[in-house]
Amino acid sequence: MADDPVSVSVALLGSGGAGVLTTGQLLLEALCRAGWNGLLTRSVGPQIRGGEAAALLRVSAQPVECHSGGFDLLLAIDWRNAARFDSEIALHPDGLVIGDPAGGEAPAAMVPASARRGDLRCAELCRLHPEWRANMIALGAAARLLAIPSEILERVIDNRFGHKGEAAMAANLAATRAGAEAVAAFALARALPPALASPGKRWLITGNEAVGLGALRGGVRFAAAYPITPASEILEWLAPKLARVGGSLVQAEDELASVNMIIGASYGGTPSLTATSGPGLSLMVESIGLATAAEVPIVVVDVMRGGPSTGIPTKSEQADLNIAVYGLHGDAPHLVIAPQSIPDCLLSTQWAVFLAEALQSPVIVLSDQFLGQAQGAIARPADIAFVGRRLRAQSAGGAYRRYAITGTGVSPMAIPGTAGGQYTADGLTHTERGVPTSGALDHSAQLDKRCDKLEQYDYGQLWATLEGEGDTAVLTWGSLTGVAREALTLAANRGVRARLIAPRLLAPTRPAAMRAALVGVRRVVVVEQSHGAQFHKYLRAHYDLPADTRVLQRPGPLTIRPTEICDALFAENVA
Amino acid sequence: MNATTTLACKPGDYKSDVKPIWCPGCGDYHVLLAFARAFAELGRPAQEIVLVSGIGCSSRIPAYMSCYGFHGIHGRSLAVAAGVKIARPDLTVVVASGDGDGYSIGGNHFIHACRRNVDITYIVMDNRIYGMTKGQPSPTTEPDFDTALSPGGTGLRPFNPLVIALASGANYVARAFAGNPQEAGALIADAIRHPGFSFVEVLSPCVTYRPDQKAWKERVHPPPVEATDDPARAARRLMTDDGFNIGVLYRGNRVPYGPRAEAVVEDLAQFEAEFEF
């Protein structure tokens, strides 16, 4: 399916620990420094060493938000566990396979019979030159096939490994040259389009790093968390930075502790965040309900992975929508925000901190493994003015009413140290003063208050991404937004205009705004990455969809491709 | 500390106007009095104290005091308190808990709070029963104590919180008796003054489900020896403890947890530069 003339896709494969992901990062960096844009995602098995790893790279002159249908180059350091990817990675019919014959055979399911094949004898070269690394040989080969200028490749290698000394550098460069020579007789069927002549200052950043930066920009100065794949990079990025801005990060004993630590820090007046994945979110939901009841602002980032239970820790899925929106016991209004791209990880997290502080509410940010561990070149994100500002009570004399019923539902919050503001934050149903009560009137008054403050707030344009026009719409969310956007471009090339509707704000729902977005739409294609069609059911529960609504859905980790969405738009009779 | 800290304070200043839900004769009334006495002795203004609790009879205490309070969910009070103290080291942070809240559902946090050694004070009102849910066995209930949920008793060896605290790294270990609020108040004040994680187990009788505990006042006694700063000696003493030694049993000298001092505020642009190319 050479449907995509403007990009080239590369899959690098090898055993876990062979350095495939490093090779992918160096290749991406070199390509971006040479003026292209690119997206690098990872797919790995559960083993730290000896499992399977794939670095999936797509390069274009334009910004890249997703993978296309297939790959132009399959390059393997070894094929030992590559068969585990045979449902995820497919080579184009005119594609090129480069591998080490000593490292097994390319899985038949990945490689069409028409593909061209070449050898890259990594193991033998490393035996002859013990100081060489197989992944550097692979890097040289891939760089040659992608026509990366050698001086840029060398600079990228020097940036990464220069500190290891001259001998190591010389070995790395020799290895890359050997790799380049080994594939000199080959060329990709489709060359990359010309790089951008003057691309300007850009960032090379992962979604998880963007979440961390968004948190800092939003004013977060305390984080507590428990390590979990695929969220740990957020914490590892934040830990040294928080210390340098006068904040701190605590590694808690479990997620029950981490969420309660951030509740405590925020109660003390410090904007706070934790990051986790599905299993951790499951442990946190009771406490998130406490933050709703006690009206303590917190941000909980869930980098979704395959579920339920331990699921597939290293691969993406969009199946935590239900727990994020509905997982709290009692009537517990809170916010759920889903970033849609790497730069949106920054924006959405910063917005989440802003809304948590403004509305004194917990906010769940639903990222996913695809976005979190994807690295891409992005335009430098503009500084936006979302810095959390909490409505504080200043020395409240007399009988301070922490949970006073106000017009907006937001009540001034006294921070410990404020004289006269003493109150008890409570998960028990309480009066306006915060005194525990089991009275029906107090109960409904506080339920109304907490609901009203989220419902009445003006979320503005950020509630959703709305693009395009026409009477057909793709309704999707999160990391599939970029896939859908590309599908609409493909559809436009076939003469069909369609809309993209992707809510960023999943809770509270915005029925009036969605109604407006759907005016004139006669056909909707719902696109989501969950087995249970959670997003479709959520839409059905809260919004009116046209009679011609179809669903394109499957569980992770097999990402829905742009061509599939495009085909669904054209299909006449889909159940 | 600001100037108000030097003003004379009375125990009554630390009580709120909210009427406790406890049964008449509950030991927790005396613990409430002991807290008020401790805060008055320290002279800390009410707005600079945060009293954190979980769920259970004992955990109701924050609403009955005039300081800042946080009444959270079952078992997680130590985590909330650590967050408050790490983010706001200027505040005095005290945690009130019970034997179910602290030793059962919150047991893991107890161990790690001792290890982490944040400068907070942990007061556990132990009555060896779940009172609020009407009389089920807790981790400190005697193995042969008969309840509806454990007919004939649990048959389980009781949890030894003081030994766990010491072994896990608590910096101060003491036992108080609710029946003597003056002495208990002084102990709590001493525990708050002591740096790091201070743990005080307070024997607080449940007159409703454990009327046998009325006899505790006859059984409590001062410890036979002075407090030690030697964990090995403290461990030997605690392993042979009869459960009724009242006083300070261990005073450690570990440095409390705190963020390492780093060169202050930087512009976020420095972090952003690492992404730029």
Side-chain angles (χ1 to χ4, degrees), chain B residues 220-234:
Chain B
V220 296
H221 56 81
V225 286
E226 289 285 292
T228 173
D229 63 356
D230 175 0
R233 291 178 64 195

Side-chain angles (χ1 to χ4, degrees), chain A residues 29 32-33 36 200-206 209-210 213 216-218 221-222 237 240-254 256-258 260-270 272 286-287 290 294 296 377-378 380 383 400 414-428 433-436, chain B residues 2 16-19 21 45-55 59-88 90-91 105-106 108-113 115-116 257 259-277:
Chain A
E29 187 183 340
C32 291
R33 285 187 185 278
W36 282 286
K201 289 283 183 198
R202 289 172 296 157
W203 285 9
L204 201 52
I205 188 170
T206 69
E209 291 165 339
L213 182 58
L216 291 186
R217 278 193 178 179
R221 291 298 178 268
F222 181 84
W237 190 86
K241 271 84 176 177
L242 273 170
R244 284 164 66 193
V245 296
S248 55
L249 181 143
V250 179
Q251 180 178 332
E253 56 269 28
D254 55 30
L256 303 166
S258 58
N260 280 282
M261 284 181 184
I262 68 165
I263 289 171
S266 178
Y267 165 85
T270 305
S272 300
E286 183 192 14
S287 305
L290 168 65
V296 180
I378 63 170
R380 185 193 185 280
D383 264 312
Y400 168 58
I415 300 306
T418 308
Q422 294 99 303
Y423 74 102
T424 292
D426 210 317
L428 279 169
R433 277 186 61 205
V435 176
Chain B
N2 63 40
S16 79
D17 56 3
V18 180
K19 186 178 179 303
I21 59 158
Q47 70 265 21
E48 292 169 14
I49 301 169
V50 177
L51 182 53
V52 182
S53 69
I55 293 296
S59 286
R60 288 287 186 138
I61 213 164
Y64 311 144
M65 305 208 70
S66 68
C67 54
Y68 278 89
F70 192 101
H71 183 206
I73 59 169
H74 202 18
R76 317 293 166 222
S77 54
L78 284 171
V80 172
V84 175
K85 184 67 183 181
I86 294 168
R88 289 288 307 276
D90 57 309
L91 299 169
I105 192 168
N108 192 37
H109 306 306
F110 179 37
I111 293 169
H112 290 277
R115 260 186 80 213
R116 198 171 282 117
Y257 177 97
R260 281 185 296 276
E262 297 258 357
V264 261
V265 186
E266 290 185 45
D267 192 335
L268 296 185
Q270 291 195 25
F271 305 152
E272 295 172 0
E274 75 180 54
F275 300 123
E276 200 164 274
F277 69 93

Side-chain angles (χ1 to χ4, degrees), chain A residues 28-91:
Chain A
L28 174 68
E29 187 183 340
L31 284 159
C32 291
R33 285 187 185 278
W36 282 286
N37 281 295
L39 179 78
L40 174 72
T41 64
R42 58 167 72 174
S43 186
V44 300
Q47 302 89 343
I48 300 301
R49 292 284 182 269
E52 69 277 20
L56 309 175
L57 179 65
R58 188 178 179 206
V59 195
S60 172
Q62 306 309 317
V64 182
E65 291 188 302
C66 64
H67 289 299
S68 66
F71 289 86
D72 300 286
L73 170 64
L74 214 56
L75 197 160
I77 293 172
D78 66 72
W79 297 106
R80 263 186 283 284
N81 297 303
R84 292 178 193 160
F85 290 119
D86 62 8
S87 56
E88 293 179 48
I89 297 170
L91 191 67

Side-chain angles (χ1 to χ4, degrees), chain A residues 99-117:
Chain A
D100 188 344
E105 281 187 29
M110 281 186 198
V111 182
S114 56
R116 291 167 300 135
R117 293 162 188 268

Side-chain angles (χ1 to χ4, degrees), chain B residues 10-56:
Chain B
K10 301 185 294 295
D13 297 342
Y14 295 93
K15 291 196 183 170
S16 79
D17 56 3
V18 180
K19 186 178 179 303
I21 59 158
W22 298 319
C23 306
C26 177
D28 293 351
Y29 285 103
H30 295 112
V31 182
L32 175 61
L33 180 57
F35 269 119
R37 296 186 72 100
F39 295 161
E41 181 184 329
L42 294 166
R44 199 82 165 112
Q47 70 265 21
E48 292 169 14
I49 301 169
V50 177
L51 182 53
V52 182
S53 69
I55 293 296

